[in-house]
Amino acid sequence: TKALHYEIIMGLTSSTNNDKAIEQAFIRSLGDRYPLGDAELRKWCWCYTALQHRSERRLDLSSLAAWSVTYNNPGPSVSNYNALNERMESAKKISQTLSIIEEHIFPKGLSSRIVGGLGLSVNEQKMPHQAVPFPKPTSSNEEIFAWEYSYYSINSCISPEGVSYELQDFLEGISSSCGRRGSRSGLSKLFNLASLSNNQGRKAADASELIDIAYRLTVATSFLLHVTKSKGGTTDNNHNNQDWKAFVPSSDSTGIQSMVDSLLNAAKEQRERTGSFGYSSYPTSGQYTTNSSPSNITNCNNTVYIEEFLEWAETTVPMMASSLSTFLHVLFNFFCQKNEGNTHHRFPPGVTPLLMPALSIDQTDKKPTSSGPVSSPLSIFFTEANTSADLFALASTSVTLASGHFCRLFSSEADGLSCNRLMNGLIGYGGPTLIIIRSKDIKGKCGTSVFGAFTYSPWDRESGEFYGNSDSFLFRLGPEPMGVYRPKGSGGDNESNFMFFNSEARSKGYDQLAWGIGFGGTAQEPRLYIDEVLDGSTAKDKDLTFENGPLLSNKDESNSYCGFEVEAIEAFGVGSSQVIEDALNARGEYRKEAQKRIRNAMKGAKAAFLEDMQSGLVGAKVFKHRDEMRGRDGGCDMEEKD
């Protein structure tokens, strides 16, 4: 038997040297055309071969995902029965998970459209694939290696005639759909999932369907990550595991509609600005033919062209470009046995993921009570954290907000409606933060609105002067059209007034500046201002730092009212889990230094008091003060006269 094993290895070694040289040359030639690594190119060539030459030649997303996690780059050191069996189990698990996504999260037909975008098509010149008996549990590692070498061969892809057109289309589809061709390519791929084409050769899509697809792809990604992190859990088609119910998109479309209205407004502005390049302002009825799958475009006024979508997305929600690529990368890579359960996101260089933020609460100042911990919702704004359309909207605006974690630093629901408590949660926090506000409905002036500010710079000091950098913006989430107002950056006066933090205690009321938290505008009149006592807060439509646009709702141009009453407010530390951990530690150090300064000041005051006692000055000072208060030294007379 040992001799047989030796012959297998030696025979394979001698016969594969030449094959490997040919294969490496083939992969290098593909690398010149497609922005994928050598290992990725080999994997996708094998997956293409598996789809074309094995089983029923099913060209669906489930089959492609299953082959992706089944793949292995064989070698004597990595080939064993347990690893082989685990890959087969992962393939089964991913098929079951995707079945739930297609039934409960995706709109009908989306998986088929994704496959079409990947360029998968049947190669009619099917090549027979020699069946090799599946190894047994008793098979040696050498025998399994021999089996894997045959099973994972890509020789059928290599031809003297060159790369087949079908394989070229597939590799190009993988490159662009998985984010390797840049963000604009990613947005175009997303657009095509909901697109129609008119008879003038111009792509158009229903705005509601387009935003909904991006949203559902991101929710599906969250569900995939949840499944991969589950400890030994399986998700079956019989729905015995009910975790999927927490990821079913909400029927409340308010958040999605705000994004849709924002896109439609931007499209209208572009048409007015450019004259639509000679095209009609809105497509006319009967002008369209559908793509390979039906679309629900029924309202012509809800339709946008691709160039309109690209301009809006790149300025307002740039991370939406990663919704499809993030989903596909998690689907194709995170179910691999070596990756399953690993909480660190693994994305290739140049691919920035869009992840639905996971919510948590800062427990630094929370003290347990005798009756046990007081339960509190993670957020009063994002009650359905796994499916919140507002969370998706915010994550789409910035790389930092798309990084996957929101840690609540303050909530008016749990901490009280207090600006001082809000300031205490923010001051010293050493990372990016998000403040979100819900204003009250003030009849005849403004309606309820949800808006706020994002700052990348830490709140590292109290100051009457502005600080921060241009990686900050103001936003409105709804209920009216979503708005994201980024820095203008043209270099004029007051155009770097990003953020300030000025307490009355610091200024002692002498500086004549606004007391509280401000963004944009001036230190006397910030554009967004959260008053220290919450009775004089303002939200203006324009300033010199940030782009113009309304923060409050139900206001027309004739309404100059900009005050608001805070109904609810929350602050979050945002970014990766490591960024948040480091920022909380920085705040802890800031608080220690602050306490140290207070103690030193108290020690200094105590020392001065003792010195006065020893010198006999204390009594004189006390009696002098009393006399002054009684009006004996020309001061104010505090005693009533008969």
Side-chain angles (χ1 to χ4, degrees):
T1 303
K2 290 183 179 179
L4 175 61
H5 293 171
Y6 177 78
E7 290 177 5
I8 290 174
I9 296 298
M10 292 305 295
L12 284 172
T13 300
S14 59
S15 63
T16 57
N17 285 339
N18 187 49
D19 291 345
K20 283 186 175 181
I22 296 173
E23 179 183 297
Q24 288 172 357
F26 174 71
I27 294 297
R28 280 197 300 270
S29 69
L30 294 178
D32 294 337
R33 297 190 236 176
Y34 307 104
L36 300 168
D38 289 355
E40 291 176 294
L41 286 167
R42 191 188 192 285
K43 169 185 173 177
W44 292 121
C45 285
W46 180 82
C47 289
Y48 172 81
T49 301
L51 285 166
Q52 297 289 349
H53 301 157
R54 302 177 194 273
S55 62
E56 301 87 12
R57 303 177 77 188
R58 291 170 51 200
L59 301 184
D60 56 32
L61 192 59
S62 179
S63 297
L64 179 58
W67 286 122
S68 175
V69 300
T70 304
Y71 173 77
N72 183 44
N73 192 2
S77 61
V78 297
S79 299
N80 61 77
Y81 184 82
N82 288 337
L84 177 61
N85 192 56
E86 286 169 352
R87 291 196 298 276
M88 300 304 173
E89 288 298 317
S90 294
K92 184 188 299 183
K93 184 175 182 178
I94 200 172
S95 296
Q96 294 166 347
T97 303
L98 193 54
S99 175
I100 288 177
I101 289 175
E102 291 173 338
E103 182 176 352
H104 298 288
I105 300 177
F106 276 1
K108 186 177 181 181
L110 179 57
S111 284
S112 298
R113 282 176 270 173
I114 292 173
V115 170
L118 291 172
L120 270 177
S121 60
V122 176
N123 187 339
E124 298 300 331
Q125 296 180 344
K126 179 181 177 182
M127 298 177 61
H129 190 86
Q130 183 178 358
V132 182
F134 193 83
K136 300 177 181 179
T138 57
S139 299
S140 67
N141 290 350
E142 291 84 353
E143 290 171 328
I144 294 173
F145 168 52
W147 178 86
E148 287 193 334
Y149 172 76
S150 175
Y151 189 75
Y152 293 114
S153 171
I154 63 168
N155 286 339
S156 59
C157 291
I158 304 173
S159 169
E161 299 175 0
V163 184
S164 69
Y165 292 119
E166 292 84 1
L167 178 57
Q168 291 181 49
D169 290 343
F170 175 59
L171 293 177
E172 181 55 42
I174 287 290
S175 299
S176 53
S177 296
C178 292
R180 301 306 182 84
R181 293 292 191 191
S183 60
R184 175 157 282 218
S185 176
L187 288 170
S188 298
K189 279 290 183 180
L190 176 64
F191 188 91
N192 290 340
L193 294 179
S195 72
L196 303 178
S197 58
N198 69 6
N199 56 14
Q200 299 180 37
R202 206 168 174 217
K203 289 183 178 180
D206 179 81
S208 298
E209 183 185 11
L210 181 55
I211 302 301
D212 186 60
I213 286 174
Y215 161 66
R216 288 173 182 268
L217 283 167
T218 306
V219 173
T221 300
S222 294
F223 179 58
L224 289 174
L225 290 170
H226 172 77
V227 174
T228 62
K229 294 173 185 176
S230 60
K231 297 294 184 180
T234 58
T235 306
D236 55 56
N237 285 324
N238 295 326
H239 298 183
N240 291 335
N241 188 322
Q242 300 294 305
D243 289 357
W244 58 269
K245 290 186 176 180
F247 296 87
V248 176
S250 171
S251 57
D252 182 8
S253 60
T254 304
I256 295 295
Q257 190 58 48
S258 296
M259 299 183 74
V260 172
D261 292 341
S262 175
L263 171 56
L264 291 174
N265 284 351
K268 180 180 178 181
E269 290 174 3
Q270 187 183 125
R271 292 166 191 172
E272 292 173 349
R273 185 175 70 248
T274 63
S276 288
F277 302 99
Y279 292 93
S280 59
S281 296
Y282 288 102
T284 58
S285 178
Q287 194 174 5
Y288 300 98
T289 58
T290 63
N291 271 347
S292 56
S293 59
S295 181
N296 296 321
I297 296 184
T298 56
N299 181 1
C300 293
N301 289 340
N302 211 37
T303 304
V304 294
Y305 293 116
I306 187 168
E307 60 270 18
E308 296 165 348
F309 170 68
L310 291 175
E311 181 180 288
W312 171 79
E314 288 173 342
T315 56
T316 304
V317 285
M319 290 306 300
M320 191 178 284
S322 297
S323 56
L324 175 60
S325 60
T326 304
F327 169 77
L328 291 177
H329 187 80
V330 173
L331 181 69
F332 293 147
N333 296 283
F334 279 45
F335 279 78
C336 299
Q337 197 65 33
K338 64 180 179 179
N339 292 334
E340 211 168 352
N342 190 329
T343 58
H344 296 288
H345 302 303
R346 300 154 303 278
F347 290 90
V351 176
T352 306
L354 169 61
L355 302 171
M356 189 72 84
L359 302 180
S360 61
I361 300 176
D362 170 27
Q363 299 293 338
T364 305
D365 299 324
K366 304 298 183 293
K367 297 180 180 180
T369 63
S370 58
S371 59
V374 178
S375 61
S376 171
L378 293 174
S379 171
I380 53 179
F381 290 96
F382 316 119
T383 54
E384 297 177 344
N386 293 322
T387 60
S388 170
D390 285 339
L391 265 182
F392 165 70
L394 286 170
S396 300
T397 61
S398 162
V399 172
T400 303
L401 296 177
S403 299
H405 293 274
F406 281 20
C407 177
R408 197 186 78 196
L409 306 175
F410 169 85
S411 171
S412 58
E413 178 78 6
D415 304 310
L417 197 57
S418 164
C419 190
N420 285 332
R421 296 293 298 276
L422 169 62
M423 289 177 162
N424 183 62
L426 290 174
I427 190 66
Y429 182 81
T433 53
L434 179 81
I435 296 176
I436 183 167
I437 304 163
R438 181 188 297 124
S439 63
K440 293 181 180 179
D441 184 4
I442 304 177
K443 190 174 182 179
K445 294 183 177 179
C446 63
T448 296
S449 185
V450 178
F451 56 95
F454 164 76
T455 59
Y456 188 83
S457 297
W459 295 95
D460 57 8
R461 61 187 179 273
E462 295 184 55
S463 172
E465 298 179 354
F466 281 92
Y467 57 100
N469 60 36
S470 59
D471 193 358
S472 57
F473 58 84
L474 307 178
F475 64 86
R476 179 175 71 174
L477 288 181
E480 293 191 349
M482 177 184 179
V484 178
Y485 313 119
R486 303 184 190 276
K488 294 176 180 178
S490 56
D493 293 337
N494 296 328
E495 288 200 356
S496 59
N497 292 356
F498 302 113
M499 55 193 278
F500 84 94
F501 192 127
N502 185 41
S503 67
E504 183 180 7
R506 184 206 68 81
S507 64
K508 297 181 175 57
Y510 300 146
D511 57 13
Q512 302 299 310
L513 304 178
W515 299 330
I517 297 174
F519 306 89
T522 65
Q524 291 77 25
E525 296 185 7
R527 175 169 173 183
L528 174 56
Y529 171 50
I530 305 170
D531 182 70
E532 192 169 29
V533 292
L534 298 179
D535 65 353
S537 301
T538 56
K540 300 179 181 180
D541 293 351
K542 59 181 69 175
D543 74 306
L544 295 177
T545 299
F546 297 101
E547 295 168 335
N548 298 341
L551 294 170
L552 301 177
S553 295
N554 298 334
K555 286 179 75 256
D556 54 38
E557 293 182 359
S558 62
N559 184 356
S560 61
Y561 184 79
C562 62
F564 68 89
E565 295 181 27
V566 176
E567 181 176 279
I569 183 170
E570 288 185 338
F572 296 89
V574 296
S576 68
S577 57
Q578 187 61 54
V579 166
I580 292 174
E581 180 181 348
D582 292 343
L584 288 171
N585 290 336
R587 191 186 64 180
E589 292 300 318
Y590 179 93
R591 290 178 175 179
K592 288 180 182 178
E593 287 298 318
Q595 290 295 324
K596 184 178 178 180
R597 288 194 297 271
I598 292 173
R599 287 194 300 270
N600 290 339
M602 293 177 67
K603 288 179 181 178
K606 183 178 179 180
F609 180 78
L610 291 175
E611 184 178 343
D612 287 346
M613 286 284 289
Q614 292 171 353
S615 63
L617 292 176
V618 169
K621 289 182 178 179
V622 170
F623 286 110
K624 180 182 178 183
H625 176 70
R626 187 189 67 180
D627 291 343
E628 288 176 349
M629 293 299 291
R630 289 178 176 175
R632 296 179 182 176
D633 194 31
C636 58
D637 190 353
M638 303 295 293
E639 295 181 348
E640 293 190 19
K641 297 180 180 180
D642 294 334

